[in-house]
Structures are given as structure tokens and as C-alpha cells.
Amino acid sequence: MSSNRSVTLTDDTSGKNWKFPVLAGSTGPDVIDVRKLYGDTGMFTYDPGFTSTGSCESKITYIDGDQGILLHRGYNIADLAERSDFMEVAYLLLNGELPTADEKAEFIHTISRHTMVHEQITTFYRGFRRDAHPMAVCCGVVGALSAFYHDSLDINDPQQRMIASHRLIAKMPTIAAMAYKYSVGQPFMYPQNNLSYAGNFLRMMFGVPAEEYVMNPVIEKAMDRILMLHADHEQNASTSTVRLAGSSGANPFACIAAGIASLWGPSHGGANEAVLNMLQHIGDKKNIPAFLSRVKDKNDHTRLMGFGHRVYKNYDPRATVMRKTCHEVLASLGIKGDPLLDLAMEMEQIALKDDYFVSKKLYPNVDFYSGIIFRAIGIPVTMFTVLFAVARTTGWIAQWREMIEDPQSKIGRPRQLYTGLTERPYVPIHARK
Ligand code: CMC
């Protein structure tokens, strides 16, 4: 961690110097340890959007944005997507190692025994409007879990932390599918524990009690892969939200609800829904040039959704796998000439050659393709971000646990550059202008 390097900060006005240690990780950029900056200099750092700030030490996920590399506990995402499955990746993120066959079987057994939700939770759903956005419903219901599972709220008890982690990972697909069922007025489907994590979700989404659900293995595998590709992504907005919420000692259900709220935004997880809406809005290939000129216009706030990333300045490695999966799913479902997919592919080709996107290093991200696969599978657009939340819950939980178990972690409390008015006398109402 510590290196022999240090950096010196010089105040150009007073000529004073302060030395700060440089810390080295196992790979990736070194960091300047500024924990003593305020105490030593009386100044803070200023970094809106945290573009240059490392907020924690972590051993879970590594991203090299220039090379387009994503590693979970040292394993490359392309390898995991090809050879592993979501339950293994969840175990890996939580425990640091891939499971042995026995460990995997036990983990699956544990998760599958926590898939049901307290029966009274169904009454929660009935309090929502049928046309409520499922992210709103999931955010509320996940937060409400802390009102039901009192025996796993003590964050200082490792056993309770583990049970809460298992509960959240296990119940998320149930909660998500129930949000969908409620929106279409169909009966909730109870989980079926002999199915895979992805398969169980699909059955709860698309099955009905009146008929046996027939699983399509291609769709089941694609869903599992999508879950893997979204499982964790280092200190993004929602993960940082989960950590920040958890840093105050809040319970894990409340923290994950906070993560869901943050994920919902169109700059983050909400982008997959926004991509589909954007493609539908463009409607036809002939409208692409006009749309792209709006995107490039500084006075227009239109963005090419599914393009660009804060960290990746090269191809998003998840998008590479997702693109391949997208073609596999469409081929196996016999979907040819889907107009939205054709439009998306045309858009991708034009944008990849366009100087605006090339010079700004804006490449397609994971959300550019996931929406198209979801659409092919029959997932309604409003459920896209919910699926992201189902997958990311594993990463959130792993990151939350790492933070709780880190002896160095403190309550998160950023400071500010204050530019408001300085102290002034109170003005009585009759004297105000
Ligand atoms: N379309 C058009 N211009 C863009 C786009 C885009 N999608 N993304 C960035 N830019 C431009 C932006 O206008 C700015 O230009 P200039 O330097 O001339 O002002 C420059 O590129 C840098 O953009 P930024 O907003 O400072 O970059 P950021 O790192 O703060 O934002 C981002 C990253 C993902 C929010 C942004 O690229 C974006 O809004 N993309 C579209 C939404 C999206 O697809 N989000 C999903 C991200 S991947 C999944 C996830 O992490 O949840």
C-alpha cells in the first residue's frame, strides 16, 4: 500500500511546502494520501463529480478505462462471462475467491432458500398505482424490507450481515418480478427454488399460475450473462451511494434502497431504458443525421444514450460481450430485421466514425446493447433498469460489507467550496425590500 514516494504541495504565495505520501495499489494509478491536507494546510481539495478522487481502498473490482479492462477479484469479465455464471460471480464478489463445487452448491442452496418475501409485503405493492414505475416500487419495497427482517439489521454482527446479504441477493428477483406482475394486474408468482437464479426470475416474470412455464435455455443463459455483466463496477454513483449511506451505520436494506434510487438516473442505470426510448424517438435511419446534429449542438442537452463513460475511454469490455450476446439471442430467437436493432447498429457505425465521438473517446457502453436484448426477450422497457438493480445488488452488498469490515472506514462527509453570502444581520419583515 504505502510507497516510498511522496509529493510536495507548494503554496505559491507564501512559499510554504507540505509533503504528502503516495500510496500504491496492486495495479492502476497511485493515489496521493491527502487525509492530513486540511489539518496541515487549512485547505480542502475541490473535485466535483469526484473525477480525481479515490474514496476508499477496495479489493473487489478493478477497471482500466484506457485499456478497456474490467476485473472482478482479478478475473477478467470476458472470461467470467464466457465460462462462469451469475451465482459463481456473486460468490466471488462476496468472498474473494471462486467457489469450489461444494461451496457453490451450498451458496446456491442458501440463496434459493431466501427467495420468498414476507407475505405481508404483497400488501405494500397494492398501495402503489398500477402505472407506477417499477423502479419506484422496487426502491420502496427494498427499503421496507428493514421493517420486516429485524433479525438481520445489526451491522456489527457478521452473521447478521451475511444473512442480510443473502436475503437481498435472493429476494431482489422476486421483488422485481412482483413489481412487473402488479403493473399488468397478473397474480404474483412464488419463486421456484429448483430453478437457476435467472430462470427463476424469468418464470416469476412471464409465468402464470394457470400454466406450466416452459423455459427457453437460450434466454435463460442470456439473462444469466446479463446479470454477470452488471454485477459490479467499482465506485460508480450507486455503489458510492450505498457506501455513503452505509457509512453512517444505516442498515443494509436501507443502503440498497439508496443504491436503487441512484441507479435510476438516466446517466447511470436508467440509460438502458433511455437508449430504447431514444431509438424509438429517432424512428428511422434517415433521421439519424438530424439527431446526431442535436447531440453535437452545445446548446441542446440531447445526448447519445448508451455512449460514453466516465472511466472507459476505450471500448467498454461489457459492451463487447453484450454485443455478441445480443446477436446470439436475436439469431436464436429468429429475430431478423428488427427495425430498432437495425437502427442501433447503424447508429453505432456512424457514431464510431464520427469525429465528435472519436475525439471525445465516446464508445458504446453496456447499456447500448442490453436494452436491445431485453426487448428481444420480451422485457418491458420500464423493467430494464430494474434488472440492472437486481444484478448490481450483489456488487453493492459486496462493497457495503467490505466497507463495514474496513477498520479505516469513517462516516462519509465531503466538504465544500462555499460561495454564498457571508454573515449579515437579520432583516425584520417590515424592512425587507
Ligand atoms: N452524447 C454526446 N456527448 C457526450 C456523451 C453522449 N452520450 N457523453 C459525453 N459527451 C460529451 C460531453 O458533452 C462532453 O463534451 P464537452 O467536453 O465538449 O463538454 C464530453 O463528452 C465529456 O462528457 P462528460 O459529461 O463531462 O463526461 P462524464 O464522465 O461526466 O459522463 C456519462 C459520463 C456516462 C454520464 C456520459 O458519457 C453520458 O451522459 N452518457 C450517456 C448516458 C449513458 O449511456 N450512461 C450509461 C453509462 S454506463 C452504465 C452505468 O455506469 O450505469
Side-chain angles (χ1 to χ4, degrees):
M1 236 286 257
S2 64
S3 75
N4 296 327
R5 286 174 60 204
S6 61
V7 292
T8 302
L9 176 71
T10 305
D11 184 328
D12 291 339
T13 309
S14 68
K16 271 190 186 169
N17 290 315
W18 299 274
K19 228 178 213 191
F20 295 97
V22 171
L23 308 179
S26 43
T27 182
D30 294 342
V31 301
I32 305 167
D33 181 352
V34 293
R35 278 175 289 184
K36 294 208 172 121
L37 180 77
Y38 179 59
D40 289 356
T41 69
M43 290 184 274
F44 298 127
T45 54
Y46 179 61
D47 184 20
F50 309 125
T51 51
S52 299
T53 297
S55 60
C56 61
E57 186 191 329
S58 183
K59 293 182 168 54
I60 302 174
T61 291
Y62 173 73
I63 302 173
D64 182 331
D66 294 324
Q67 305 286 329
I69 291 172
L70 168 60
L71 308 177
H72 292 319
R73 304 281 192 186
Y75 293 104
N76 194 299
I77 190 67
D79 247 2
L80 291 171
E82 192 63 35
R83 302 165 67 181
S84 188
D85 59 52
F86 182 64
M87 279 291 95
E88 273 199 359
V89 171
Y91 185 97
L92 174 70
L93 291 171
L94 288 172
N95 300 300
E97 294 295 338
L98 285 169
T100 62
D102 286 349
E103 285 165 342
K104 184 174 177 181
E106 193 189 330
F107 183 65
I108 291 173
H109 179 83
T110 306
I111 295 298
S112 63
R113 292 309 176 277
H114 281 294
T115 50
M116 287 199 297
V117 290
H118 192 292
E119 193 60 20
Q120 220 173 311
I121 285 178
T122 57
T123 55
F124 255 86
Y125 284 83
R126 300 188 207 290
F128 287 101
R129 287 170 53 138
R130 294 268 178 196
D131 62 355
H133 195 289
M135 280 298 275
V137 175
C138 288
C139 195
V141 172
V142 170
L145 293 180
S146 45
F148 286 88
Y149 299 101
H150 296 156
D151 58 346
S152 52
L153 297 183
D154 181 357
I155 62 157
N156 297 314
D157 177 350
Q159 182 71 10
Q160 293 200 31
R161 287 203 296 271
M162 197 177 67
I163 295 171
S165 309
H166 292 156
R167 278 185 170 145
L168 275 156
I169 293 169
K171 293 183 199 309
M172 274 304 285
T174 314
I175 291 167
M178 285 171 78
Y180 172 63
K181 285 298 192 197
Y182 183 72
S183 75
V184 289
Q186 287 184 6
F188 297 134
M189 291 289 283
Y190 286 112
Q192 196 169 299
N193 292 343
N194 60 345
L195 296 177
S196 70
Y197 191 87
N200 194 22
F201 171 72
L202 288 168
R203 184 182 157 276
M204 288 189 288
M205 271 291 287
F206 298 119
V208 287
E211 281 173 21
E212 199 170 321
Y213 178 70
V214 182
M215 190 79 65
N216 178 332
V218 175
I219 294 180
E220 186 183 7
K221 189 160 189 312
M223 182 59 75
D224 189 81
R225 190 173 276 176
I226 293 172
L227 293 172
M228 265 192 282
L229 291 173
H230 286 90
D232 191 51
H233 212 230
E234 208 225 57
Q235 308 310 322
N236 54 81
S238 58
T239 302
S240 296
T241 302
V242 169
R243 279 187 178 255
L244 193 57
S247 75
S248 71
N251 76 68
F253 304 106
C255 296
I256 300 303
I260 295 172
S262 169
L263 186 76
W264 194 1
S267 296
H268 191 10
N272 52 15
E273 179 175 340
V275 168
L276 245 276
N277 291 336
M278 174 189 77
L279 292 173
Q280 260 151 358
H281 168 78
I282 297 170
D284 194 284
K285 286 181 193 174
K286 70 175 191 309
N287 301 327
I288 293 179
F291 181 78
L292 289 184
S293 16
R294 285 188 59 196
V295 167
K296 291 183 219 169
D297 181 354
K298 276 247 174 238
N299 301 316
D300 191 318
H301 295 293
T302 307
R303 287 204 161 189
L304 180 50
M305 301 311 286
F307 264 68
H309 198 275
R310 167 61 62 79
V311 184
Y312 294 121
K313 300 303 169 197
N314 197 325
Y315 224 86
D316 177 343
R318 302 167 301 170
T320 313
V321 182
M322 202 65 98
R323 188 176 197 272
K324 191 167 159 259
T325 308
C326 183
H327 285 290
E328 280 168 13
V329 169
L330 292 164
S332 75
L333 294 178
I335 299 176
K336 279 199 199 100
D338 178 312
L340 278 198
L341 180 70
D342 290 349
L343 188 58
M345 295 304 145
E346 180 85 7
M347 176 77 95
E348 182 205 27
Q349 287 317 309
I350 294 175
L352 285 174
K353 287 184 207 125
D354 189 303
D355 191 50
Y356 175 91
F357 297 96
V358 175
S359 62
K360 292 183 192 299
K361 300 186 174 171
L362 300 170
Y363 293 92
N365 59 49
V366 69
D367 289 320
F368 191 72
Y369 300 105
S370 61
I372 296 162
I373 308 179
F374 286 148
R375 179 181 145 90
I377 293 175
I379 307 272
V381 177
T382 54
M383 284 295 289
F384 289 5
T385 313
V386 174
L387 268 161
F388 195 155
V390 169
R392 186 56 60 82
T393 295
T394 305
W396 288 333
I397 282 289
Q399 301 268 355
W400 170 80
R401 268 175 42 177
E402 183 178 65
M403 180 199 63
I404 300 288
E405 286 157 21
D406 180 354
Q408 301 207 48
S409 72
K410 284 168 174 277
I411 184 167
R413 178 57 171 93
R415 301 303 296 265
Q416 61 177 7
L417 172 65
Y418 178 70
T419 54
L421 293 170
T422 52
E423 188 169 355
R424 53 186 176 152
Y426 178 78
V427 182
I429 196 158
H430 61 82
R432 289 176 210 161
K433 291 182 193 133

